[in-house]
Amino acid sequence: MNDIIRKTAREVVDLLRRGEVSPLELVKTLEEHVAEADAEVNALPIRFFDNARQQAEAMMKNHPDPKNRGLLAGLPVAVKDYNDVAGQRTTFGSPIYADSVAEESDAMVRVLEGNGAIAYAKSNVPEFAGGHTYNPLFGPSRNPWDLGRSVGGSSGGAAACLASGSAWLATGNDLGGSLRTPAGFNGIVGIRPTAGRVPRRTPAVPFDTLWVEGPMARNVADAALMLDAMIGYDEHDPLTRQERPTSFVASLDSYDAPARVAYSPDLGFLPVEETVRRITRDSLAHFTAMGSEVVDGTPDFGGAYDAFQILRAHLIATMHASTLERHRELIKPDIVWNIEKGLAQTTADLQWAERVRGALVHRVLDFFDDHDVLVVPSAPLPPFPVEWTSPQEIDGTELATYIDWIAITFCISLTGCPVVALPSGLDQDGLPIGVQLVGRPGSEARLLSYAQRFEQRVEIANRLPLAPRGVAGAIR
């Protein structure tokens, strides 16, 4: 393996700025690595290295001084297949859009390109949405820690290409846990930012705050760099702002350890496997070693499960009802169910869900008056067999819908709080188990500082496979 694949994104950007490596050389290196590593992982099914080479050559010609090539200085970046890259396919993992080619890059991708990113591939996704990355176009992505396991979803391809060394940085987005679940399953870092930090792709529902774009990386500091490069304003996304926050990379060492850390294994009501409870609880010793007071506690999430299901179904139906009318036979049953649920809901259902969400937001803000951070598992079970469509039960509790198993992330989506998801340990099979660090809205800089301190003690970032390992053991 080329040694540069093992370097962090910040190290590679530093080499780019010093002129010790060129964007063109990085594209070539990635192309060689992806051809080998992704043959089994299947994280990057849409590749356009020829176009990436052209962009690299143009950047080097138009900006001969490498210090003038933007924040990322020509670093290749993988883009999720829910986002548009000019001239490339955006399939959403669906046969309906198998040959759909974007005329221009969407707002988030344009911001990245303006900051010196070079897109070279699209990462695999579930069909339209979901917590497990497989689709009828490209099949499943496989976990680099164990090819027999799921990568999570919907940013599963993005997480897997990072863990297998096929990307230094990747884009993700998150409605109910799409950044956070894959981060936990693949041992990498994902950030669900406060709504409005990162512009979205001409959102069909512009004032929706459940769906956000965010960065994914192999470690916290790289994720902070990616977030710096993603933040921007777009007039088609009214939640975005023209004012820029202070650099998140520059702020990483600006905060002391959290004074008071709250931990909940289950938000007070959700089924969670004992392995996950044990590993995440044991990881709190890292905060205690920093001098933090660690307590058991969580805001009251009463009603959150049903409220999210209602609001999500409403959003899915708003976005995809017309697609259902035209292409019902080409849409997987889980998505058909979700759209129809949204269409069947009443005004009273939506009013109730909005009231529940509003009350939860206020309780959470009050909770953060006495706690610096809330720590919660990023998934209720370890990475499951890749052949499953979704878990059917957790810790003896049967699940009713295809997204029930990600309730531990989607309930937190309702709060509007930023979240840093990162690994907390490995289970008995050597598979990553992750946590969510949740903070009050707008507190990304502080959260990232806490996350970096935690990461340095957990020491999993430097143990990523960076190449597929094969099946690590019998599938459970």
Side-chain angles (χ1 to χ4, degrees):
M1 181 191 303
N2 191 308
D3 286 344
I4 201 166
I5 289 291
R6 299 186 181 279
K7 293 185 180 296
T8 68
R10 286 165 298 118
E11 289 171 338
V12 178
V13 167
D14 187 52
L15 292 175
L16 285 165
R17 288 180 180 149
R18 296 205 308 262
E20 295 183 21
V21 67
S22 74
L24 193 59
E25 290 171 322
L26 294 183
V27 171
K28 179 181 178 182
T29 296
L30 273 179
E31 184 172 17
E32 293 172 351
H33 183 81
V34 169
E36 180 179 354
D38 208 54
E40 296 182 272
V41 175
N42 191 34
L44 299 174
I46 300 174
R47 305 168 193 171
F48 34 95
F49 285 104
D50 286 346
N51 184 71
R53 275 190 290 273
Q54 292 171 10
Q55 293 208 27
E57 289 169 350
M59 177 180 288
M60 294 162 64
K61 178 181 177 181
N62 297 332
H63 303 283
D65 184 347
K67 295 184 179 64
N68 295 331
R69 294 174 185 163
L71 187 62
L72 297 181
L75 185 75
V77 171
V79 175
K80 187 174 177 179
D81 194 22
Y82 292 164
N83 294 94
D84 290 339
V85 175
Q88 308 304 328
R89 287 192 293 164
T90 303
T91 75
F92 304 97
S94 168
I96 299 168
Y97 299 103
D99 300 313
S100 178
V101 175
E103 294 184 2
E104 64 176 0
S105 298
D106 68 27
M108 181 268 291
V109 176
R110 290 197 304 271
V111 170
L112 281 171
E113 291 171 337
N115 280 312
I118 295 175
Y120 64 96
K122 303 289 283 294
S123 61
N124 205 22
V125 294
E127 182 183 350
F128 290 119
H132 176 33
T133 298
Y134 70 97
N135 62 64
L137 292 182
F138 307 117
S141 293
R142 295 177 176 273
N143 197 310
W145 295 81
D146 179 340
L147 293 174
R149 303 302 177 101
S150 170
V151 298
S154 60
S155 306
C161 73
L162 289 161
S164 60
S166 293
W168 289 286
L169 296 176
T171 74
N173 39 43
D174 191 300
L175 172 60
S178 290
L179 276 155
R180 293 163 284 160
T181 308
F185 272 20
N186 293 272
I188 58 97
V189 178
I191 303 172
R192 178 188 166 94
T194 304
R197 290 285 198 199
V198 181
R200 297 164 294 174
R201 48 167 293 142
T202 312
V205 187
F207 289 96
D208 168 63
T209 57
L210 286 177
W211 184 284
V212 299
E213 304 284 343
M216 305 183 79
R218 298 180 197 166
N219 60 59
V220 171
D222 283 359
L225 171 66
M226 180 69 156
L227 184 56
D228 279 341
M230 296 176 82
I231 286 177
Y233 169 76
D234 185 79
E235 63 181 5
H236 287 281
D237 188 343
L239 300 183
T240 59
R241 297 290 180 267
Q242 294 189 9
E243 304 81 15
R244 285 188 62 84
T246 302
S247 164
F248 293 110
V249 171
S251 300
L252 283 172
D253 299 319
S254 299
Y255 298 92
D256 295 329
R260 199 158 193 247
V261 175
Y263 168 74
S264 174
D266 54 13
L267 297 180
F269 71 102
L270 295 171
V272 175
E273 289 193 2
E274 181 56 35
T275 295
V276 174
R277 291 174 182 267
R278 174 180 54 80
I279 291 172
T280 56
R281 181 176 290 279
D282 287 351
S283 73
L284 300 176
H286 298 305
F287 283 112
T288 302
M290 299 177 205
S292 305
E293 177 189 7
V294 176
V295 300
D296 290 329
T298 178
D300 178 4
F301 276 83
Y305 169 87
D306 290 323
F308 180 85
Q309 289 274 24
I310 290 169
L311 294 173
R312 183 182 191 274
H314 177 67
L315 179 62
I316 295 290
T318 301
M319 296 173 64
H320 298 300
S322 62
T323 306
L324 180 65
E325 290 179 6
R326 300 192 308 271
H327 302 291
R328 172 183 287 267
E329 71 283 358
L330 295 177
I331 302 174
K332 72 177 180 180
D334 286 333
I335 300 298
V336 171
W337 165 81
N338 225 164
I339 296 170
E340 290 184 333
K341 173 179 171 60
L343 294 174
Q345 291 172 165
T346 66
T347 301
D349 293 329
L350 288 171
Q351 290 170 340
W352 176 86
E354 291 288 6
R355 287 194 297 270
V356 168
R357 185 184 188 188
L360 173 62
V361 166
H362 297 304
R363 291 196 298 270
V364 167
L365 289 173
D366 290 343
F367 181 84
F368 283 122
D369 287 340
D370 300 317
H371 306 85
D372 293 302
V373 63
L374 172 65
V375 180
V376 184
S378 56
L381 76 172
F384 53 81
V386 72
E387 293 85 2
W388 294 6
T389 56
S390 65
Q392 300 301 302
E393 63 91 21
I394 295 172
D395 197 33
T397 298
E398 292 188 10
L399 307 178
T401 78
Y402 79 113
I403 62 168
D404 274 20
W405 74 276
I406 59 169
I408 203 160
T409 51
F410 73 54
C411 287
I412 289 173
S413 296
L414 286 177
T415 69
C417 292
V419 187
V420 178
L422 74 168
S424 65
L426 302 175
D427 72 2
Q428 66 276 10
D429 296 321
L431 298 172
I433 302 295
V435 288
Q436 305 174 75
L437 305 189
V438 188
R440 67 169 58 245
S443 67
E444 286 91 342
R446 186 178 293 274
L447 271 183
L448 285 163
S449 179
Y450 298 160
Q452 180 175 253
R453 289 172 177 268
F454 181 80
E455 174 185 75
Q456 289 168 347
R457 293 176 177 274
V458 173
E459 294 187 330
I460 288 178
N462 59 359
R463 298 170 63 184
L464 293 174
L466 301 186
R469 289 186 175 178
V471 178
I475 295 176
R476 293 178 299 149

